[in-house]
Amino acid sequence: MTSASEITWHDSDFDPRGTDRLALVDLLDRVLAGGVVLAGEVTLSVADVELVTISLRALITSASTLLNQGTDTPRPGP
Amino acid sequence: MSPELSRRLNADPESVERSLVTLVLTLVELLRELMERQALRRVDDGTLPEEKVEEVGTTLMALDEHMDELAEHFGLTRRDLNIDLGPLGPLLPDD
């Protein structure tokens, strides 16, 4: 009978115990390839009278994604 | 401040200033790490011109060293510059 040999995983991306926590910055980094639009609006009112409105839409994306919109070949940035 | 509130909230000026500095430096570090990752992607894609690769690399390294100096100046470690977002995980990598 042969003795069991241990198989060791060396793939640094694979965490079988799932204990490595994913940092939010890594998620942000991957999302930037597609881009994110944040939209928000705040209205300041007094006694039901609307006085000040702040409306914001922000596009957060990687510069190369923005540059390459509509093209098939990636182009170098500025 | 009521006794109950003062037990839950530490609002002495020194602590508030330290927390604010930590937050600001953490946000700066977030942007630096984001730029680092994006620069690496551009190098991998081949969309960063050859002559720019070294320049971008050295600048990012200089920024990293500058972060060390800034943190030290305020009596913080690089590990302090992070936010635990609970279920969302840490903002920056733990290592």
Coordinates of all heavy atoms in Angstrom, one line a residue, chain A residues 21-26 28-30 32 62-64 74-78, chain B residues 30 33-34 37-38 41-42 47 49 84-85 88-94:
Chain A
R21 N -9.6 38.3 2.4 CA -10.7 39.2 2.2 C -10.4 40.0 0.9 O -9.2 40.5 0.8 CB -10.9 40.1 3.4 CG -11.2 39.3 4.7 CD -11.7 40.2 5.8 NE -10.7 41.2 6.2 CZ -11.0 42.3 6.9 NH1 -12.3 42.5 7.4 NH2 -10.1 43.2 7.2
L22 N -11.3 40.2 0.1 CA -11.1 41.0 -1.1 C -11.2 42.5 -0.7 O -12.2 42.9 -0.1 CB -12.2 40.6 -2.1 CG -12.1 41.4 -3.5 CD1 -10.9 41.0 -4.2 CD2 -13.4 41.2 -4.3
A23 N -10.2 43.2 -1.1 CA -10.2 44.7 -0.8 C -11.1 45.4 -1.8 O -11.1 45.0 -3.0 CB -8.8 45.2 -0.9
L24 N -11.8 46.4 -1.3 CA -12.7 47.1 -2.2 C -12.0 47.8 -3.4 O -12.6 47.9 -4.4 CB -13.5 48.1 -1.4 CG -14.8 48.7 -2.0 CD1 -15.8 47.5 -2.1 CD2 -15.4 49.8 -1.1
V25 N -10.8 48.2 -3.1 CA -10.0 48.9 -4.2 C -9.8 47.9 -5.4 O -9.8 48.4 -6.5 CB -8.7 49.4 -3.6 CG1 -7.7 48.3 -3.3 CG2 -8.0 50.3 -4.7
D26 N -9.7 46.6 -5.1 CA -9.5 45.7 -6.2 C -10.8 45.5 -7.0 O -10.8 45.4 -8.2 CB -9.1 44.3 -5.6 CG -7.7 44.3 -5.1 OD1 -6.8 44.8 -5.8 OD2 -7.5 43.8 -4.0
L28 N -13.1 48.0 -7.3 CA -13.2 49.2 -8.0 C -12.3 49.2 -9.3 O -12.7 49.6 -10.3 CB -12.6 50.4 -7.1 CG -13.7 51.1 -6.3 CD1 -12.9 52.1 -5.4 CD2 -14.6 51.9 -7.1
D29 N -11.1 48.6 -9.1 CA -10.2 48.6 -10.2 C -10.8 47.8 -11.4 O -10.7 48.2 -12.5 CB -8.9 47.9 -9.7 CG -7.9 47.7 -10.8 OD1 -7.7 48.6 -11.7 OD2 -7.3 46.5 -10.9
R30 N -11.4 46.7 -11.1 CA -12.0 45.9 -12.2 C -13.3 46.5 -12.8 O -13.5 46.4 -14.0 CB -12.4 44.5 -11.6 CG -11.2 43.7 -11.4 CD -11.5 42.4 -10.7 NE -10.5 42.0 -9.7 CZ -10.5 40.8 -9.1 NH1 -11.5 39.9 -9.3 NH2 -9.6 40.5 -8.2
L32 N -13.8 49.6 -13.1 CA -13.4 50.8 -13.9 C -13.3 50.5 -15.4 O -13.4 51.3 -16.3 CB -12.1 51.4 -13.5 CG -12.1 52.2 -12.2 CD1 -10.8 52.9 -12.0 CD2 -13.2 53.2 -12.2
S62 N -12.0 54.1 -16.3 CA -10.6 54.2 -16.6 C -10.5 55.0 -17.9 O -11.3 55.0 -18.8 CB -10.0 52.8 -16.9 OG -10.5 52.3 -18.1
A63 N -9.4 55.8 -18.0 CA -9.2 56.7 -19.1 C -9.2 56.0 -20.4 O -9.6 56.5 -21.4 CB -7.9 57.5 -18.9
S64 N -8.6 54.8 -20.4 CA -8.5 54.0 -21.7 C -9.9 53.5 -22.1 O -10.1 53.4 -23.3 CB -7.5 52.9 -21.6 OG -7.9 52.0 -20.5
P74 N -7.5 48.7 -28.9 CA -7.1 49.6 -27.9 C -6.0 50.6 -28.4 O -5.2 50.2 -29.2 CB -6.4 48.7 -26.8 CG -6.4 47.3 -27.4 CD -7.0 47.3 -28.7
R75 N -6.2 51.8 -28.0 CA -5.3 52.9 -28.4 C -4.5 53.4 -27.2 O -5.0 53.4 -26.0 CB -6.0 54.0 -29.0 CG -6.5 53.7 -30.4 CD -7.3 54.8 -31.0 NE -8.6 55.0 -30.3 CZ -9.3 56.2 -30.3 NH1 -8.8 57.2 -31.0 NH2 -10.4 56.3 -29.7
P76 N -3.2 53.8 -27.3 CA -2.5 54.3 -26.2 C -3.1 55.6 -25.7 O -3.7 56.4 -26.5 CB -1.1 54.6 -26.7 CG -1.1 54.2 -28.2 CD -2.5 53.8 -28.6
G77 N -3.0 55.9 -24.4 CA -3.6 57.1 -23.9 C -2.7 58.3 -24.1 O -1.6 58.1 -24.6
P78 N -3.1 59.4 -23.7 CA -2.3 60.7 -23.8 C -1.1 60.6 -22.9 O -1.1 59.9 -21.9 CB -3.2 61.8 -23.5 CG -4.3 61.1 -22.6 CD -4.4 59.7 -23.1
Chain B
L30 N -6.0 55.4 -1.2 CA -7.0 54.7 -2.1 C -6.7 55.1 -3.6 O -6.6 54.2 -4.5 CB -8.4 55.0 -1.7 CG -9.5 54.6 -2.7 CD1 -9.6 53.0 -2.8 CD2 -10.9 55.2 -2.3
E33 N -3.4 53.7 -4.9 CA -3.4 52.3 -5.2 C -4.3 52.0 -6.4 O -4.0 51.1 -7.2 CB -3.9 51.5 -4.0 CG -3.0 51.4 -2.9 CD -3.1 50.2 -2.0 OE1 -3.5 49.1 -2.5 OE2 -2.7 50.2 -0.8
L34 N -5.3 52.8 -6.6 CA -6.2 52.7 -7.8 C -5.4 53.0 -9.0 O -5.4 52.3 -10.0 CB -7.4 53.6 -7.7 CG -8.6 53.2 -8.5 CD1 -9.0 51.8 -8.4 CD2 -9.7 54.2 -8.2
R37 N -2.9 50.2 -9.9 CA -3.5 49.1 -10.6 C -3.9 49.4 -12.0 O -3.7 48.6 -12.9 CB -4.8 48.7 -9.8 CG -4.5 47.9 -8.5 CD -5.7 47.9 -7.6 NE -5.5 47.0 -6.5 CZ -4.8 47.3 -5.4 NH1 -4.1 48.4 -5.4 NH2 -4.7 46.4 -4.4
Q38 N -4.4 50.6 -12.2 CA -4.8 51.0 -13.6 C -3.5 51.1 -14.5 O -3.6 50.8 -15.7 CB -5.5 52.4 -13.6 CG -7.0 52.2 -13.0 CD -7.9 51.5 -14.0 OE1 -8.0 51.8 -15.1 NE2 -8.5 50.4 -13.5
R41 N -2.5 47.7 -15.6 CA -3.4 47.2 -16.7 C -3.0 47.8 -18.0 O -3.0 47.1 -19.0 CB -4.9 47.6 -16.4 CG -5.5 46.7 -15.3 CD -6.9 47.1 -15.1 NE -7.4 46.4 -13.9 CZ -7.8 45.1 -13.9 NH1 -7.8 44.4 -15.0 NH2 -8.2 44.5 -12.8
R42 N -2.6 49.1 -18.0 CA -2.2 49.8 -19.2 C -0.9 49.2 -19.8 O -0.8 49.0 -21.0 CB -2.0 51.3 -19.0 CG -3.3 52.0 -18.7 CD -4.1 52.3 -20.0 NE -3.5 53.3 -20.8 CZ -3.7 54.6 -20.6 NH1 -4.6 55.0 -19.8 NH2 -3.1 55.5 -21.4
T47 N -1.1 49.5 -23.9 CA -1.6 50.9 -24.3 C -0.8 52.0 -23.6 O -1.3 53.1 -23.6 CB -3.1 51.0 -24.0 OG1 -3.3 50.7 -22.6 CG2 -3.9 50.1 -24.8
P49 N 2.7 53.9 -23.7 CA 3.9 54.0 -24.6 C 5.1 53.7 -23.8 O 5.3 54.0 -22.6 CB 3.9 55.5 -25.0 CG 2.5 56.0 -24.7 CD 1.9 55.2 -23.6
D84 N -12.2 49.5 7.5 CA -12.9 48.2 7.5 C -14.4 48.5 7.2 O -15.1 49.1 8.1 CB -12.8 47.5 8.9 CG -13.4 46.1 8.9 OD1 -14.0 45.7 7.8 OD2 -13.2 45.4 9.8
L85 N -14.9 48.0 6.1 CA -16.2 48.3 5.7 C -17.2 47.2 6.1 O -18.2 47.0 5.5 CB -16.3 48.6 4.2 CG -15.5 49.8 3.8 CD1 -15.3 49.8 2.3 CD2 -16.2 51.1 4.1
L88 N -18.5 44.5 3.5 CA -17.8 44.8 2.2 C -16.3 44.6 2.2 O -15.7 44.7 1.2 CB -18.1 46.3 1.8 CG -19.5 46.7 1.5 CD1 -19.6 48.2 1.2 CD2 -20.1 45.9 0.3
G89 N -15.8 44.2 3.4 CA -14.4 43.9 3.5 C -13.6 45.2 3.7 O -14.2 46.2 4.0
P90 N -12.3 45.0 3.6 CA -11.4 46.2 3.9 C -11.4 47.1 2.6 O -11.6 46.6 1.5 CB -10.1 45.6 4.2 CG -10.1 44.3 3.4 CD -11.5 43.8 3.4
L91 N -11.1 48.3 2.8 CA -11.0 49.2 1.6 C -9.8 48.9 0.8 O -9.8 48.8 -0.4 CB -11.0 50.7 2.1 CG -10.9 51.7 1.0 CD1 -12.2 51.7 0.2 CD2 -10.7 53.1 1.6
L92 N -8.6 48.7 1.5 CA -7.4 48.4 0.9 C -6.9 47.0 1.4 O -7.4 46.6 2.4 CB -6.3 49.5 1.3 CG -6.7 50.9 0.9 CD1 -5.8 51.9 1.6 CD2 -6.7 51.1 -0.6
P93 N -6.0 46.4 0.6 CA -5.6 45.1 1.0 C -5.0 45.1 2.4 O -4.3 46.0 2.8 CB -4.5 44.7 0.0 CG -4.8 45.6 -1.2 CD -5.4 46.9 -0.6
D94 N -5.2 44.0 3.2 CA -4.7 43.9 4.5 C -3.2 43.9 4.6 O -2.6 44.3 5.6 CB -5.3 42.6 5.2 CG -6.7 42.9 5.6 OD1 -7.1 44.0 5.9 OD2 -7.5 41.9 5.6

